Amino acid sequence: MTKQKKQKWKRNLVVMTAITGLGFSTFYPGLSIPVAAVEQPDQPIPKEESVSIVQLEVPNQKAKDKLLELGIDLTHRAQEHNGILEVDAVVTPSEIAMLKTFGIKVKDTLITENQWNARTTERQAATKIEASLAASEDTVKILRANYYTNQSETFLYIEAKTSAGTAASTALTATWTENGVEKSATLNRFVDYGEYMYHWLELPISAIPSSVKVTSNLGGTATGTVTQWLGADKPGNPKKHYVKDFVDHYMAPGELYERAKELAKEFPDLVEIIDMPNKTNGYRRLAQAQLGNTTNTAVVVTSKAWGHEGGNDLSVEFRNPGTINAPLKVTADRKKILVDLATDSSGKTVSTAQQVITALNSDAKQLVSAATYRGNTGAGIVSPVTAKLTDGLNAPANVSRDPFTVKAIRIGKHRDGSKPGVLGYAQEHAREWVTPLVTIETAERLLRNYAHDGETKKLVDNLDIFLVPTVNPDGANYSFYDYNMQRKNMTNYCGPAESDPAYRTSWGVDLNRNHSVGSAFDGYVGASTTQCRSGTYAGPAENSEPEARNLVWLADNFSNIKFAMNIHSYGGYFMWSPGAYDPNRKTLPRPTAGEEAFYWAVSDIMLNDIQDHRGTVILPSRTGPVPDVLYSAAGNSADYLWYAKGIYAWDFEVGADLWNKEKQRWEAVGFQPTFAEGHEEAMEFANGLIGMIKVAYNNAKDHQPPSTKAVPGNGKFSGPVDVQFETSEAATIYYTLDGSRPTFESAHIKLSGTREGAETLKVDKTTTINWFAVDAAGNIEKNYNPLGNGKNYNSVTLTIK
């Protein structure tokens, strides 16, 4: 390359950088030339851009690789249509223009920033209503308390109203006495077209009580006499009484944990709150100001103190001292930094941005640090200007700026580690507002149905259930109050060249890329270790983030956890490990054929439970191991749980596409659909999470060893034979072909291919196959002990003539 061509290339690159605001590392991740090393023309600082969710058409694999390389903020929704990959992404207009140069174009705009803001307004209105209703003790009125007997049993029917009924968090519990034994049950909340009607219950009783007492979780109580129901329109044969629907708006972290605290207070025998040991960085930022309107004259000033701890009180003034030949001088007190700019013989200011920065970093270093704009040389002359520093955070004062203690809701009658554990955790990605509601709805159902529903009581009595409503509370608060599309946490690892205020929505670590199995640090695809503003930035090291370490701590300290669900949105996926592959598309080790069969079998149970709510079908094309249906996600938490801890771990992606009859096409719902849609997603996936809890219960009660058969079995054959194994249930088969005793170290039956069934063994010479099977519950065929000396394993001999 000639000198002239090199200079032209550099100029073009600088222009592209200035236009897009993306920086060198975004376009050319391998480029070693630092930004500050390139002479840059003075240009107006680009205005901050809005973002939207769009559907991109990616024409080929090369373009897909480029999409990942550029660190574009992808959602979890991707599909192939007519040979073209369609993916949803969160992008700015400049990013759209840049993507076009790689043949990637926008097919459709799905959600705009205005729509996200509307969701926030909707949530704030609901929060105000709930807060006003909960401010004082409610009033409870019993509308009717009846009994009736039909052809099968005698039933109790209750209707009651609370003055706080508009809030779904308001729960009414009825108590009464049957044959000297106190009984209780939670009432269902009935809302019709937005109007609260009443709470009710209807269930069989063994004896008719004389009275009932209805108590609200807000403190209100009422007592009523039980009378016989008469009339032509008396209720018929009722269905099983099961209460649900306990969420009525999107909930920020503080609300989630306040609800958890109230549940623990109300159900002390069934609930405890676990404080995780690793506090988050906190919903907080250093205060900043950017003085100057062009790239060569801008000075970025950042406080040393957090904004709420004094940084927001600071102001900076650049002024002409009003004298000729004045030196550059900085004077600082606790609240104001005054910069007297140097002047020439005519009294005109002559201080460059870099000179001012050097002076600030020398004489005001106890208060602030200063840097040029995005690595610029800062050769331009600064003008007099005043600015107040701010952390830019918009949450009300009651949202704590301190480091946050992440909590787990632990539910179970026996919470001593003696029962099998189940884990559900949500909101690793801050913008996924529906996901915490799934955990809270599940917690409410388990607790409020415990007293009267036998199935629920069975689950709570025999399992140790852990629910983490929000893994990422800092990012979640930022998403609710500042920037709806925040994906990561709020910890900024960027250097000065990428830490000006306009980049504040790009800082943070993707918590679902920060784990230690199949990570980007080990060369796996789907995360960045170098681009601090990438949507999938993996952080400076594996497990660098307290939020990720909390999950590791939970798995390490509660070894009874056997099943886990990582709840994400959106797209309607149901996935499991492996979750990552290397640049050659070699995945992490696939589960054994038996383990894969178990994943598929029990997934069917959960997906049916999801479908029960409103008919949502999670498509076969969106069910399976992560790389088979989506893309590589290096360093995700489910892979850690599966490979490092042996926990059967799934990923929900709530928010399946909705069919638009008018347009005759599927449409995405987004991270923050209207609450009406978000509510439905929470209800159906709470069904699915409870489905996983049922799977854990059934697994714990499974003491029946599997049985297997080799086909063909013993015999003489004239040529090579393909042997397959038939199993009574999903089970892993360990085998030997040399006549030796099979153990857990022996070979096992693998999958024959991606999304295929179990492999067959090709036998082309006389061979004795010895084997045993073990199911997901740990039951071993024929109670064989692979660690002992017994010979009660299976054996066949195939004689090849």
Side-chain angles (χ1 to χ4, degrees), residues 82-140:
N82 294 331
I84 295 176
L85 181 66
E86 296 175 352
V87 298
D88 293 359
V90 182
V91 290
T92 64
S94 293
E95 287 174 321
I96 291 171
M98 182 265 294
L99 289 172
K100 285 182 180 178
T101 66
F102 299 108
I104 302 169
K105 63 181 182 180
V106 173
K107 179 183 179 182
D108 197 8
T109 298
L110 304 175
I111 301 173
T112 66
E113 194 165 359
N114 286 338
Q115 288 172 305
W116 296 328
N117 291 333
R119 306 291 186 266
T120 301
T121 302
E122 178 187 50
R123 191 195 86 82
Q124 289 172 342
T127 303
K128 286 180 181 179
I129 292 173
E130 184 173 60
S132 64
L133 291 171
S136 59
E137 184 175 293
D138 62 338
T139 301
V140 175

Side-chain angles (χ1 to χ4, degrees), residues 121-171:
T121 302
E122 178 187 50
R123 191 195 86 82
Q124 289 172 342
T127 303
K128 286 180 181 179
I129 292 173
E130 184 173 60
S132 64
L133 291 171
S136 59
E137 184 175 293
D138 62 338
T139 301
V140 175
K141 180 187 294 184
I142 295 177
L143 303 179
R144 51 186 51 82
N146 303 132
Y147 73 89
Y148 68 90
T149 301
N150 64 11
Q151 54 271 58
S152 56
E153 291 190 70
T154 298
F155 294 86
L156 176 66
Y157 179 78
I158 300 170
E159 283 181 19
K161 250 186 177 179
T162 166
S163 57
T166 304
S169 58
T170 306

Side-chain angles (χ1 to χ4, degrees), residues 708-729:
T708 61
K709 182 172 71 171
V711 180
N714 291 305
K716 296 180 180 180
F717 305 90
S718 58
V721 178
D722 288 330
V723 179
Q724 62 181 14
F725 293 90
E726 295 178 353
T727 62
S728 60
E729 60 177 301

Side-chain angles (χ1 to χ4, degrees), residues 752-790:
S752 59
T754 301
R755 295 177 76 79
E756 296 182 24
E759 66 179 339
T760 58
L761 298 181
K762 191 172 188 66
V763 176
D764 55 11
K765 63 181 180 179
T766 298
T767 301
T768 296
I769 306 175
N770 297 330
W771 80 93
F772 69 93
V774 56
D775 65 18
N779 299 308
I780 300 177
E781 188 173 10
K782 299 181 179 179
N783 294 315
Y784 170 65
N785 181 5
L787 305 179
N789 298 312

